[in-house]
Each structure stands twice: as C-alpha cells, then as structure tokens.
Amino acid sequence: MFRKIVKMNILLVYPNINGQFQIQMGLASISAVLKQAGHRIDLFDTTFIVSGSFEEVSVQFMKRFDEVLAKFKEKVSSSKPDIILVGIRSLEFDFATKLLREAKTNLPVIFGGQHPTVSPEEVIKSDVADYICIGEGEEAILELIEKLESNEDVTKINNIWVKKDGKIYRNPVRPLMKNLDELPFPDWDIFDARHVSTIGKFETSRGCPYSCTYCINSYMQKIYGGVGGYHREKSIKKTIEEMEQFLKKFPQVNYIWLIDETFTLNNDRVKDFCEQYKEKIKDKFNVKFGCMTRPEVLSEEKCQYLKKAGCVEIAMGIEMGNETYRVEMLDRKMTQQSIINAFLMAKKSGIKTYSFNMVGFPNETRKDIINTIELNRKGKVDEIQVTIFYPFKGTSLRDFCEENNLLDLPRNEVGSYYEKPVIKNPNLPKKEVMGLFRTFTIYCKSPKIFWPFIKIMEYDNLVSINLSRIANTFIKQGFKPKAFGIFFDYAYNNVLKVPKLLDKLTILI
C-alpha cells in the first residue's frame, strides 16, 4: 500500500507535558508508515526531561523550559532533519509553539494530532506552522512527504492544510482507512525503552461510536460523516500477531492495556478475541490484560470471557452522578443502576474495576459531585480517577460554555486535567471544586463517619492541601514501603521547606 521512495530525514516531536508514560500510539503508527516508505525518522520526546506525577509535571515544563529548549536544539543539530512533524493534543499547543518559535530552526513544520483537527484555523495561522494534518494522518502525511521530496504541488492533498506565499490552502478530509490491517505494526523502537517498562499498549479498533459532549469523538464523527464510518476494527488475527511480536521484543512486559474506548461493544468479537488471546498470549507468555468499555455494553457473559482469557481490570466512565445531567448535558444515556450493576458485575467475576470521573462541569452543584462519589461507593469501585473538566475545542460542551459566557481560560499557560477549573460556575466556586477534586477519592474510600473530617481537607490552605495529598497517597498505595517513600519524598520537598507548617499540623492533630 505504501510505495517506497527517496528518503527524507524527519524529526517527530512529542511534547508530552502531561507526563504520559506509555508509547504515543499516533506517532508510533506514523513513524512505522514513514519508515516502511524508506524515510529516516528520529524522535524528540520530552517525557523523561521533565517527569513526575500527572498533577505536577505540566507546571514544571514552563519552569524548566530553557532546559527543554536546549535539548531540543541539540536534537535538531544531531538529527539534521529536513522537516519537523509535531503531534499535539490541545493542552500541548502553547508549549509546542513556544518551543519551535524560540528554537528558530528555519525548518518546515507539520502539526498533526487532536488539536489541529479540532482547531485547524488557530494552528495553521500560528507563525511556526507550515502544514497541518486534520484527522488520521498515516496516508495524508505520507503523501505530503512524498510530494515535498519530489517537489510536486502539495496544495491539493486531502486532510492537509498548507500555508504558502501568504495564502492558506484548506483541503477536505479523505475517506477513513477501512482496512486497519494494512497498517504496519507501530514503531516501538523509536521510543525510549522506559516508555515500555512492563506494560504494552494496543488498539484493536479505532473510533468510539458514542457522542459524549465533552469528547472529541463526536467532532470526529461529524467531519467523517457519521457514526458508522468512524468506528473500525482490526482483525483479531492481526491484533494478536502484533502482540506476539511486541512480547518477543520486550520480554519484560507482563501486562497489556487495550486502548479501545468501548472494547466490549460486540459480544462475538469479545469472545473471539478472548479465545485467541488465551491460547496465544496468556498461555504462552503469561501476560494479563486490561480494557476500557462503557457500563451499558458490559454483560455477565462478556465478563466470563474476559476473566477466562486473563483480563484483570476493566475501566469504565461514570463521569457524573446526576442522571438527568448525564443524559441531557453529556449525552451518556445510561441509568444509575446500570452503572452500579456493571461495576458490581465485573467485581463479581473477579476483575478489578477502575472508574473515570470528572468534576467542574458547567453549572454543576456540590450535590452533583457527591452523587458521583456515591455512585463509586455503590459500585464498590477498586481504583478511581478524577479529573477536572476541560472544554476542548470541537466539543459541543465547549460550544455550550462559549454560548453562556462560562469560559475562564488562562492565556499562555500550560494546563492539565489536574490543575484547576477553567470555567465559571455560578453554583460552585472554583475553590470548592478544587477542594472536592482533591478529596474525591478520599470520600469514595472512607466510612461516612469520617466525612466531616474529610471536609476539613477541602479547605484552601496549605495544611488541608497537604493532608489530602498524604491521605490520597496511602489510599492509592496502601500502607506499604512504596507509600511511605512517596510520602517522605513529598514531605521533604513540599512540607519541611514551608515555615511553621509542622507546627500547624501538630496543632491540628
């Protein structure tokens, strides 16, 4: 499918300001396609320049920007690329443009990924952008690279917008690749081995068929003409072959995570996958796996297939505990009881459960957040993730925020889902949202007799903030040596250096 041509040197850039440790699958796939076509690929990856917890790493990027910039210049100098390709999500755009602007490489730059897709005008008008790729990029970026190499016209490539001679050429998207089996295996080798560690990440399908209002998938469905064409599946055979090759290359891996948003969508497909996985992966490599799905597409039968095949964790979104709000505002049409039943069903099958939750939705109330906490408690969720709602461009909930003058976005700041609310809410002050964000898991995991004490941790002062961090550490890690190590490391760097804080803690206790 991909014709081999004269080589170009291409530098991929991964501005990973949220500290995601796993391989970035989009760049891995693009790299594999370009390498298969004969190009030389290098990667500048910020992950291990600035590392830390998700909650803290994004703030550190701006504090240590000069260090990142120096390393980027070194990489450009040693790699000698002909072109730079940057993959960005929305929260990475400001950082990436600042990096390129100050590096002054004088090289052509392609932007691809989520943010150019949902906000193409903003990205193409950036002073550091020459080309942007909208939507899936394997075929489009390869076509662009080939035509640049052969000095052909690049202004009419579907999915590609071009800025040339003061004019912007805006092209429509091409039909989605239907047969995902035609893609080569992702290029794992381009990433630092620390990205792999003991976990492998795989996709068995692309595109979620649902339309949650806070998610980019609804926008992707619109630009590609509907739900039916956006969700596509790899063959189980190709997926298993990819896993086998990966595990032979990285024998230390003992866990596989499936990144499909709704893995259990189709009963027959789940059964087929589980049978092949058990035979060719679990029994041969002794590697277990986890997956994501939605409560309404999980069943006892699917849980039995998953458990037998070696599934040890299922992650599902709760997001919001107010059923009316969830259905009408988030377009998540599931009942309270169906959510509870799904988590209990997985737990009954012996599979660990993990929930996704958000706080800080438009016009959300304190009671709504408490209801979200209650759903986690009733579902007896094992592990809980909570993030702060962010109004991503291209989503209908972003449109709602704009129409109702709720946006309160900082300018030129690195942000994350863990940093602070970015919308105005007449029902809930930002400080209260942050307090509930910090204590969300503590409320979920603690007997209600302790709730009055937990409320103290919601307060916006150093004592309460540090108490909540300590409590969250021990809830997540348990009373193990690792937890004590995390606690003492945090205490040394953040508590002991604060004057009189220990005196305040002693008085409070």
Side-chain angles (χ1 to χ4, degrees):
M1 180 181 66
F2 300 110
R3 179 172 58 88
K4 189 169 183 178
I5 62 166
V6 179
K7 294 179 181 179
M8 285 186 73
N9 290 337
I10 304 162
L11 178 62
L12 306 183
V13 177
Y14 180 29
N16 185 16
I17 68 169
N18 280 312
Q20 301 287 335
F21 279 101
Q22 300 306 307
I23 286 173
Q24 213 284 340
M25 296 298 287
L27 287 177
S29 184
I30 293 288
S31 179
V33 167
L34 293 173
K35 279 187 175 180
Q36 182 174 273
H39 300 290
R40 290 188 292 268
I41 309 298
D42 203 351
L43 173 68
F44 177 72
D45 177 3
T46 66
T47 304
F48 302 105
I49 300 174
V50 180
S51 59
S53 70
F54 291 157
E55 296 90 339
E56 298 170 352
V57 69
S58 62
V59 178
Q60 293 300 317
F61 263 96
M62 281 307 184
K63 291 182 179 178
R64 296 173 60 183
F65 178 81
D66 289 343
E67 180 183 350
V68 179
L69 177 62
K71 290 187 179 294
F72 178 59
K73 288 180 175 180
E74 288 175 11
K75 173 62 76 171
V76 171
S77 177
S78 63
S79 181
K80 296 180 172 56
D82 300 305
I83 195 164
I84 294 174
L85 171 57
V86 188
I88 53 168
R89 294 161 292 206
S90 291
L91 297 179
E92 296 160 346
F93 178 62
D94 286 345
F95 179 84
T97 52
K98 179 179 173 66
L99 183 68
L100 289 162
R101 188 175 297 116
E102 298 203 15
K104 299 176 182 177
T105 65
N106 295 318
L107 293 167
V109 175
I110 308 168
F111 280 98
Q114 180 201 72
H115 193 61
T117 299
V118 299
S119 189
E121 292 291 345
E122 176 188 20
V123 181
I124 194 65
K125 291 176 181 176
S126 166
D127 60 320
V128 294
D130 299 286
Y131 312 93
I132 67 170
C133 179
I134 297 172
E136 293 183 5
E138 286 93 348
E139 293 177 315
I141 287 176
L142 178 61
E143 183 179 350
L144 173 61
I145 294 296
E146 287 185 336
K147 289 189 173 181
L148 286 171
E149 174 66 25
S150 56
N151 293 316
E152 295 180 48
D153 179 28
V154 296
T155 62
K156 298 176 182 179
I157 302 173
N158 286 349
N159 287 60
I160 302 294
W161 287 18
V162 179
K163 188 164 58 183
K164 183 179 180 181
D165 300 327
K167 184 177 179 180
I168 296 174
Y169 298 85
R170 300 170 175 85
N171 294 297
V173 295
R174 65 187 66 206
L176 285 162
M177 181 184 291
K178 298 298 183 185
N179 186 3
L180 297 178
D181 285 6
E182 292 181 350
L183 289 169
F185 293 150
D187 181 12
W188 305 301
D189 293 332
I190 198 172
F191 288 89
D192 188 302
R194 287 173 289 179
H195 274 292
V196 177
S197 182
T198 59
I199 300 174
K201 190 166 73 169
F202 297 86
E203 62 173 15
T204 78
S205 66
R206 282 189 183 181
C208 178
Y210 294 93
S211 303
C212 300
T213 59
Y214 51 82
C215 179
I216 188 179
N217 279 314
S218 59
Y219 180 83
M220 296 293 285
Q221 290 167 11
K222 290 176 185 176
I223 68 171
Y224 281 114
V227 176
Y230 182 53
H231 179 74
R232 294 141 295 139
E233 298 170 342
K234 287 184 181 178
S235 69
I236 302 301
K237 181 177 182 293
K238 178 67 179 283
T239 301
I240 295 296
E241 287 174 354
E242 183 179 325
M243 292 177 177
E244 288 176 316
Q245 181 167 315
F246 179 86
L247 292 171
K248 289 174 183 176
K249 183 180 287 287
F250 303 103
Q252 78 277 14
V253 169
N254 58 23
Y255 184 73
I256 280 175
W257 181 248
L258 305 179
I259 64 172
D260 312 45
E261 289 106 325
T262 49
F263 177 70
T264 65
L265 195 61
N266 181 288
N267 189 76
D268 291 340
R269 180 175 167 80
V270 172
K271 181 181 180 182
D272 186 14
F273 173 87
C274 288
E275 288 173 349
Q276 292 195 46
Y277 187 94
K278 182 181 185 305
E279 177 187 352
K280 297 181 179 179
I281 304 298
K282 181 190 175 188
D283 292 348
K284 288 185 179 180
F285 296 94
N286 192 30
V287 173
K288 299 174 182 179
F289 74 97
C291 63
M292 295 186 288
T293 191
R294 285 170 63 105
E296 71 268 44
V297 293
L298 190 65
S299 66
E300 289 187 6
E301 184 179 8
K302 292 172 186 174
C303 284
Q304 290 170 5
Y305 296 147
L306 291 165
K307 177 63 178 176
K308 187 176 180 180
C311 180
V312 294
E313 184 173 29
I314 296 177
M316 294 178 280
I318 293 177
E319 310 301 7
M320 157 62 78
N322 180 325
E323 183 174 330
T324 301
Y325 189 106
R326 188 173 60 247
V327 171
E328 295 180 0
M329 287 291 291
L330 306 185
D331 199 21
R332 291 180 62 83
K333 297 177 173 63
M334 57 190 80
T335 66
Q336 306 288 80
Q337 197 57 51
S338 68
I339 293 173
I340 295 167
N341 290 346
F343 280 95
L344 294 179
M345 191 188 305
K347 199 173 186 70
K348 182 181 177 182
S349 300
I351 302 174
K352 179 182 175 182
T353 56
Y354 186 108
S355 69
F356 300 112
N357 306 270
M358 275 190 272
V359 298
F361 282 116
N363 299 326
E364 183 179 47
T365 65
R366 181 180 180 88
K367 184 179 179 181
D368 291 334
I369 296 177
I370 297 300
N371 284 338
T372 311
I373 290 168
E374 291 285 9
L375 271 185
N376 280 271
R377 292 171 65 89
K378 290 176 181 177
K380 298 181 179 178
V381 179
D382 293 304
E383 192 167 348
I384 295 160
Q385 175 181 295
V386 58
T387 57
I388 300 168
F389 166 70
Y390 191 94
F392 287 109
K393 291 185 177 181
T395 64
S396 53
L397 212 50
R398 166 74 176 226
D399 295 338
F400 176 87
C401 291
E402 289 179 344
E403 290 164 4
N404 291 274
N405 194 31
L406 298 178
L407 293 182
D408 189 19
L409 295 166
R411 290 299 304 166
N412 300 318
E413 288 186 28
V414 174
S416 78
Y417 318 113
Y418 306 92
E419 203 170 315
K420 57 186 175 182
V422 293
I423 63 169
K424 295 171 281 188
N425 183 351
N427 299 323
L428 207 58
K430 287 186 178 182
K431 286 184 179 180
E432 191 169 359
V433 174
M434 284 304 299
L436 286 162
F437 165 71
R438 288 193 302 269
T439 56
F440 188 96
T441 302
I442 307 172
Y443 277 118
C444 289
K445 293 293 185 178
S446 303
K448 286 192 174 181
I449 193 173
F450 295 123
W451 279 26
F453 300 99
I454 297 171
K455 197 171 191 309
I456 295 173
M457 298 184 200
E458 291 183 37
Y459 297 158
D460 185 29
N461 60 62
L462 212 49
V463 174
S464 297
I465 290 170
N466 283 292
L467 282 174
S468 66
R469 285 180 180 267
I470 293 167
N472 278 307
T473 295
F474 285 103
I475 286 172
K476 184 174 182 179
Q477 300 292 339
F479 288 88
K480 302 174 184 177
K482 182 178 179 181
F484 283 97
I486 293 172
F487 164 63
F488 285 117
D489 180 67
Y490 178 81
Y492 175 77
N493 289 296
N494 298 278
V495 178
L496 297 179
K497 295 182 180 181
V498 180
K500 299 184 179 179
L501 180 57
L502 290 180
D503 293 338
K504 294 178 182 179
L505 282 168
T506 304
I507 293 170
L508 186 62
I509 294 170

